[in-house]
Amino acid sequence: MEFNVRRLAADAGTFLSRAVQFTEEKFGQAEKTELDAHLETLLSRAESTKHWTEKIMKQTEVLLQPNPNVRMEEFLYEMLDKKVPMRANNHELLGESMIDSGHEFGPGTAYGSALIKCGETEKLLGSAEKELIQSSAINFLTPFRNYIEGDFKTISKERKLLQNKRLDLDAAKNRLKKARVADARSAELNSSPPLAEEYVAHFSYMLSILHVRWLKAETELRIAQSEFDRQAEITRLLLEGISSTHAHHSRCLNDFVDAQAAYYAQCYQYMVNLQKQLGSFPSTFSNNNQPAGSSSASISVPTAQPATSLPTPPPSQTSPALNELRSTSGTRKARVLYDYDAASSSELSLLADEVITVSSVPGMDSDWLMGQRGNQKGKVPITYLELLN
């Protein structure tokens, strides 16, 4: 019990000394030991890293989950260390509604079949979005959060210790300064005219006390300086590890970009496949309840044929417009009549009903034109096109 009381008294004395030193510094009544420029730069860099890491984390979470209520719910589950319940995202909910409505209208109808195909694709998009969120959480958000909750907390703890050691050092300097002033005054009194005999013993006793205090202040200053230097070195080594943190976060950023690229490429492929599936439906229907497999001429769909067996060109293709295109170096817009899969790298694949730019190239076979869609170029069969005015 005696040891605990002494320890408590010592801690209280240290705390009081630091509080007095801090207060006097704030009022400009005490000098303050400044950290070296390199250490100050490292501290500023750590604070900046912490600030922007938290901001990037927050905005990434908003990007991956725009609903603030859901984010709050997930945060509470995380705080309670419980598993977040699985729920359908917006793509999956839309997909389920489309599929249910498609079955309601009838899978055998054109509209019902289209709804089902769209719904299935929306559910695939929802699954891809969940994979993106999971991958981003593991490879991007978790390392950032580990820095905030782990490395930076350690840095903050050591930085606080450094601040305390700095206050102890400055308090020790202040005590030594006061001891030196008192010692100087005692020296002045010692050089003054002799005192009465009854005061000599008392004066000698006071001089010895002042000398002891001065020696104690010097010892405390050496100890405080040593502890401050040691803590400054520990803090510096931790702060220099920020460079490694930045390198690690750069790799996490690459993983995040790769996950996004894979997600968008996957979504693009899903939508292209859906476009091809929907392109197999006729552009006009006499009746939504007409079965997709009806023999009615209004919904019959020509299928893509190999280039060696091209369809018969429509009447518009024998018009003077084609001859004019071949006789000039200009370009024309053309609507694609049927799907066409390129047989070689020199050809351009086509989707029914899309509009492309075509031109005639000297020396090219008369059954072909040069087609262009954005940055993609290649040969296209004339019989699959309808030139537009």
Side-chain angles (χ1 to χ4, degrees):
M1 183 64 181
E2 182 182 358
F3 173 80
N4 292 337
V5 171
R6 289 180 179 178
R7 181 62 180 271
L8 181 62
D11 291 344
T14 301
F15 177 79
L16 180 60
S17 175
R18 291 171 181 170
V20 170
Q21 179 64 29
F22 181 79
T23 304
E24 290 180 350
E25 287 176 359
K26 288 298 182 182
F27 287 100
Q29 299 175 356
E31 296 181 359
K32 176 181 177 182
T33 300
E34 299 293 341
L35 302 177
D36 64 82
H38 177 60
L39 189 56
E40 287 285 6
T41 301
L42 291 176
L43 287 170
S44 176
R45 189 184 185 198
E47 284 293 339
S48 180
T49 300
K50 183 242 186 185
H51 168 74
W52 289 109
T53 299
E54 287 180 331
K55 192 163 187 177
I56 291 171
M57 280 177 52
K58 181 179 179 181
Q59 292 305 126
T60 303
E61 291 169 350
V62 171
L63 172 68
L64 298 177
Q65 179 50 265
N67 190 329
N69 295 328
V70 175
R71 289 202 308 273
M72 179 58 67
E73 182 181 352
E74 291 176 351
F75 174 75
L76 293 175
Y77 273 103
E78 183 178 349
M79 292 295 293
L80 297 173
D81 198 19
K82 292 186 177 181
K83 186 177 180 180
V84 179
M86 295 295 294
R87 61 169 63 85
N89 56 27
N90 292 331
H91 282 292
E92 291 173 328
L93 292 174
L94 174 60
E96 291 173 1
S97 297
M98 287 183 169
I99 291 174
D100 291 343
S101 62
H103 285 294
E104 177 71 21
F105 292 121
T109 65
Y111 183 44
S113 178
L115 281 170
I116 293 173
K117 291 180 183 297
C118 289
E120 291 172 347
T121 301
E122 289 295 335
K123 295 187 74 172
L124 290 175
L125 293 175
S127 297
E129 182 180 314
K130 285 184 175 180
E131 291 177 5
L132 171 65
I133 293 174
Q134 182 179 12
S135 174
S136 301
I138 295 174
N139 300 322
F140 187 63
L141 289 176
T142 298
F144 275 47
R145 188 175 291 108
N146 288 342
Y147 168 74
I148 296 297
E149 298 178 355
D151 294 351
F152 190 79
K153 280 189 175 181
T154 302
I155 291 174
S156 298
K157 178 182 176 181
E158 297 300 329
R159 182 178 181 178
K160 185 177 180 180
L161 286 174
L162 178 62
Q163 171 72 355
N164 290 336
K165 296 300 181 184
R166 202 268 309 159
L167 290 172
D168 292 342
L169 174 62
D170 289 336
K173 288 180 178 179
N174 193 31
R175 286 194 296 270
L176 180 60
K177 183 178 179 180
K178 291 179 180 179
R180 284 174 176 172
V181 170
D183 189 62
R185 288 179 179 176
S186 65
E188 291 177 0
L189 292 174
N190 193 30
S191 61
S192 61
L195 298 173
E197 185 176 349
E198 61 270 18
Y199 294 107
V200 171
H202 179 71
F203 184 71
S204 298
Y205 176 72
M206 294 300 298
L207 284 177
S208 64
I209 292 178
L210 291 174
H211 185 68
V212 170
R213 288 181 178 177
W214 179 71
L215 292 176
K216 182 181 179 182
E218 276 196 334
T219 303
E220 290 177 348
L221 177 59
R222 285 195 298 270
I223 295 174
Q225 184 69 57
S226 176
E227 291 181 351
F228 172 77
D229 293 340
R230 178 176 175 275
Q231 186 59 40
E233 181 66 15
I234 293 174
T235 307
R236 182 185 63 80
L237 292 174
L238 279 174
L239 292 172
E240 288 179 347
I242 295 292
S243 297
S244 299
T245 299
H246 286 185
H248 182 212
H249 286 183
S250 294
R251 293 191 293 271
C252 296
L253 188 62
N254 288 337
D255 292 339
F256 181 53
V257 171
D258 291 343
Q260 283 184 305
Y263 166 70
Y264 290 118
Q266 197 172 14
C267 291
Y268 172 77
Q269 189 59 50
Y270 287 151
M271 300 313 295
V272 168
N273 293 339
L274 179 60
Q275 282 182 320
K276 290 181 178 180
Q277 294 178 41
L278 295 182
S280 64
F281 293 105
S283 57
T284 57
F285 298 94
S286 58
N287 191 334
N288 273 342
N289 294 323
Q290 181 70 32
S294 171
S295 60
S296 171
S298 63
I299 61 171
S300 62
V301 181
T303 57
Q305 302 177 24
T308 56
S309 178
L310 300 178
T312 302
S316 61
Q317 299 291 34
T318 60
S319 66
L322 181 58
N323 296 329
E324 179 184 354
L325 179 62
R326 285 175 173 164
S327 63
T328 63
S329 58
T331 61
R332 291 287 293 273
K333 294 291 185 182
R335 185 175 69 86
V336 177
L337 299 175
Y338 324 121
D339 289 348
Y340 175 75
D341 293 327
S344 66
S345 59
S346 63
E347 299 178 8
L348 182 66
S349 295
L350 304 174
L351 294 174
D353 291 330
E354 73 171 333
V355 177
I356 64 173
T357 302
V358 295
S359 60
S360 179
V361 177
M364 182 178 290
D365 189 273
S366 60
D367 290 332
W368 299 81
L369 291 173
M370 181 59 68
Q372 181 173 356
R373 182 201 302 112
N375 295 327
Q376 298 177 329
K377 297 181 69 174
K379 295 192 304 179
V380 293
I382 294 176
T383 50
Y384 282 72
L385 305 173
E386 178 184 7
L387 296 180
L388 303 176
N389 294 328

